[in-house]
mmCIF file of all heavy atoms in Angstrom:
data_model
loop_
_atom_site.group_PDB
_atom_site.id
_atom_site.type_symbol
_atom_site.label_atom_id
_atom_site.label_comp_id
_atom_site.label_asym_id
_atom_site.label_seq_id
_atom_site.Cartn_x
_atom_site.Cartn_y
_atom_site.Cartn_z
ATOM 1 N N GLY A 121 189.817 37.557 27.556
ATOM 2 C CA GLY A 121 188.949 37.213 26.415
ATOM 3 C C GLY A 121 187.532 36.959 26.847
ATOM 4 O O GLY A 121 186.571 37.150 26.059
ATOM 5 N N LEU A 122 187.336 36.518 28.069
ATOM 6 C CA LEU A 122 185.996 36.273 28.600
ATOM 7 C C LEU A 122 185.331 37.556 29.056
ATOM 8 O O LEU A 122 184.185 37.613 29.421
ATOM 9 C CB LEU A 122 186.044 35.314 29.788
ATOM 10 C CG LEU A 122 186.367 33.878 29.486
ATOM 11 C CD1 LEU A 122 186.689 33.078 30.755
ATOM 12 C CD2 LEU A 122 185.227 33.221 28.729
ATOM 13 N N GLY A 123 186.117 38.660 29.062
ATOM 14 C CA GLY A 123 185.584 39.945 29.498
ATOM 15 C C GLY A 123 185.586 40.082 31.007
ATOM 16 O O GLY A 123 184.890 40.957 31.539
ATOM 17 N N LEU A 124 186.365 39.297 31.702
ATOM 18 C CA LEU A 124 186.458 39.369 33.165
ATOM 19 C C LEU A 124 187.669 40.175 33.565
ATOM 20 O O LEU A 124 188.627 40.315 32.810
ATOM 21 C CB LEU A 124 186.577 37.957 33.750
ATOM 22 C CG LEU A 124 185.454 36.970 33.411
ATOM 23 C CD1 LEU A 124 185.818 35.597 33.932
ATOM 24 C CD2 LEU A 124 184.169 37.438 34.056
ATOM 25 N N GLU A 125 187.599 40.674 34.777
ATOM 26 C CA GLU A 125 188.706 41.400 35.365
ATOM 27 C C GLU A 125 189.829 40.367 35.637
ATOM 28 O O GLU A 125 189.540 39.269 36.149
ATOM 29 C CB GLU A 125 188.302 42.093 36.639
ATOM 30 C CG GLU A 125 189.368 42.971 37.243
ATOM 31 C CD GLU A 125 188.882 43.670 38.489
ATOM 32 O OE1 GLU A 125 187.679 43.666 38.788
ATOM 33 O OE2 GLU A 125 189.728 44.238 39.142
ATOM 34 N N ALA A 126 191.066 40.695 35.335
ATOM 35 C CA ALA A 126 192.170 39.781 35.460
ATOM 36 C C ALA A 126 192.671 39.728 36.918
ATOM 37 O O ALA A 126 193.801 40.035 37.211
ATOM 38 C CB ALA A 126 193.289 40.137 34.518
ATOM 39 N N THR A 127 191.769 39.296 37.837
ATOM 40 C CA THR A 127 192.161 39.184 39.222
ATOM 41 C C THR A 127 192.751 37.791 39.441
ATOM 42 O O THR A 127 192.518 36.883 38.623
ATOM 43 C CB THR A 127 190.946 39.343 40.159
ATOM 44 O OG1 THR A 127 190.006 38.331 39.869
ATOM 45 C CG2 THR A 127 190.326 40.721 39.986
ATOM 46 N N ALA A 128 193.439 37.620 40.533
ATOM 47 C CA ALA A 128 194.042 36.308 40.841
ATOM 48 C C ALA A 128 192.915 35.245 40.913
ATOM 49 O O ALA A 128 193.104 34.131 40.408
ATOM 50 C CB ALA A 128 194.839 36.377 42.144
ATOM 51 N N ARG A 129 191.797 35.597 41.492
ATOM 52 C CA ARG A 129 190.701 34.623 41.635
ATOM 53 C C ARG A 129 190.189 34.183 40.293
ATOM 54 O O ARG A 129 189.990 32.977 40.031
ATOM 55 C CB ARG A 129 189.584 35.253 42.458
ATOM 56 C CG ARG A 129 188.410 34.342 42.626
ATOM 57 C CD ARG A 129 187.304 34.989 43.429
ATOM 58 N NE ARG A 129 186.173 34.070 43.490
ATOM 59 C CZ ARG A 129 185.367 33.992 44.505
ATOM 60 N NH1 ARG A 129 185.509 34.760 45.520
ATOM 61 N NH2 ARG A 129 184.369 33.141 44.476
ATOM 62 N N ASN A 130 189.965 35.131 39.371
ATOM 63 C CA ASN A 130 189.460 34.766 38.052
ATOM 64 C C ASN A 130 190.477 33.947 37.265
ATOM 65 O O ASN A 130 190.129 33.005 36.570
ATOM 66 C CB ASN A 130 189.026 36.027 37.280
ATOM 67 C CG ASN A 130 187.738 36.605 37.798
ATOM 68 O OD1 ASN A 130 186.949 35.927 38.450
ATOM 69 N ND2 ASN A 130 187.526 37.891 37.541
ATOM 70 N N VAL A 131 191.747 34.348 37.344
ATOM 71 C CA VAL A 131 192.811 33.621 36.636
ATOM 72 C C VAL A 131 192.886 32.170 37.159
ATOM 73 O O VAL A 131 192.964 31.239 36.367
ATOM 74 C CB VAL A 131 194.183 34.323 36.773
ATOM 75 C CG1 VAL A 131 195.283 33.460 36.194
ATOM 76 C CG2 VAL A 131 194.140 35.671 36.039
ATOM 77 N N GLU A 132 192.834 32.015 38.462
ATOM 78 C CA GLU A 132 192.908 30.659 39.031
ATOM 79 C C GLU A 132 191.680 29.839 38.688
ATOM 80 O O GLU A 132 191.771 28.646 38.474
ATOM 81 C CB GLU A 132 193.105 30.725 40.564
ATOM 82 C CG GLU A 132 194.521 31.124 40.933
ATOM 83 C CD GLU A 132 195.594 30.263 40.273
ATOM 84 O OE1 GLU A 132 195.495 29.007 40.284
ATOM 85 O OE2 GLU A 132 196.536 30.846 39.706
ATOM 86 N N ARG A 133 190.501 30.487 38.653
ATOM 87 C CA ARG A 133 189.280 29.775 38.298
ATOM 88 C C ARG A 133 189.375 29.244 36.849
ATOM 89 O O ARG A 133 189.072 28.096 36.564
ATOM 90 C CB ARG A 133 188.077 30.675 38.413
ATOM 91 C CG ARG A 133 186.761 30.004 38.050
ATOM 92 C CD ARG A 133 185.595 30.915 38.246
ATOM 93 N NE ARG A 133 185.267 30.913 39.655
ATOM 94 C CZ ARG A 133 184.469 31.779 40.252
ATOM 95 N NH1 ARG A 133 183.948 32.730 39.551
ATOM 96 N NH2 ARG A 133 184.193 31.688 41.518
ATOM 97 N N VAL A 134 189.883 30.106 35.944
ATOM 98 C CA VAL A 134 190.028 29.703 34.546
ATOM 99 C C VAL A 134 191.128 28.639 34.426
ATOM 100 O O VAL A 134 190.956 27.660 33.721
ATOM 101 C CB VAL A 134 190.338 30.929 33.649
ATOM 102 C CG1 VAL A 134 190.779 30.519 32.259
ATOM 103 C CG2 VAL A 134 189.104 31.819 33.557
ATOM 104 N N ARG A 135 192.239 28.805 35.158
ATOM 105 C CA ARG A 135 193.329 27.809 35.102
ATOM 106 C C ARG A 135 192.788 26.446 35.566
ATOM 107 O O ARG A 135 193.044 25.427 34.934
ATOM 108 C CB ARG A 135 194.470 28.234 36.022
ATOM 109 C CG ARG A 135 195.683 27.272 35.950
ATOM 110 C CD ARG A 135 196.809 27.655 36.893
ATOM 111 N NE ARG A 135 197.014 29.066 37.101
ATOM 112 C CZ ARG A 135 197.669 29.907 36.302
ATOM 113 N NH1 ARG A 135 198.187 29.429 35.185
ATOM 114 N NH2 ARG A 135 197.784 31.156 36.603
ATOM 115 N N HIS A 136 191.994 26.429 36.626
ATOM 116 C CA HIS A 136 191.407 25.182 37.121
ATOM 117 C C HIS A 136 190.530 24.568 36.039
ATOM 118 O O HIS A 136 190.588 23.338 35.771
ATOM 119 C CB HIS A 136 190.605 25.462 38.389
ATOM 120 C CG HIS A 136 189.897 24.255 38.920
ATOM 121 N ND1 HIS A 136 190.543 23.249 39.564
ATOM 122 C CD2 HIS A 136 188.574 23.913 38.881
ATOM 123 C CE1 HIS A 136 189.654 22.328 39.903
ATOM 124 N NE2 HIS A 136 188.453 22.708 39.532
ATOM 125 N N GLN A 137 189.714 25.386 35.414
ATOM 126 C CA GLN A 137 188.817 24.860 34.345
ATOM 127 C C GLN A 137 189.614 24.308 33.195
ATOM 128 O O GLN A 137 189.297 23.265 32.618
ATOM 129 C CB GLN A 137 187.855 25.963 33.908
ATOM 130 C CG GLN A 137 186.751 25.455 33.021
ATOM 131 C CD GLN A 137 185.855 24.482 33.712
ATOM 132 O OE1 GLN A 137 185.468 24.659 34.863
ATOM 133 N NE2 GLN A 137 185.510 23.398 33.060
#
Side-chain angles (χ1 to χ4, degrees):
L122 289 168
L124 301 173
E125 185 178 350
T127 62
R129 179 181 177 147
N130 286 338
V131 171
E132 286 307 312
R133 180 178 280 165
V134 168
R135 183 182 327 278
H136 176 75
Q137 190 63 43

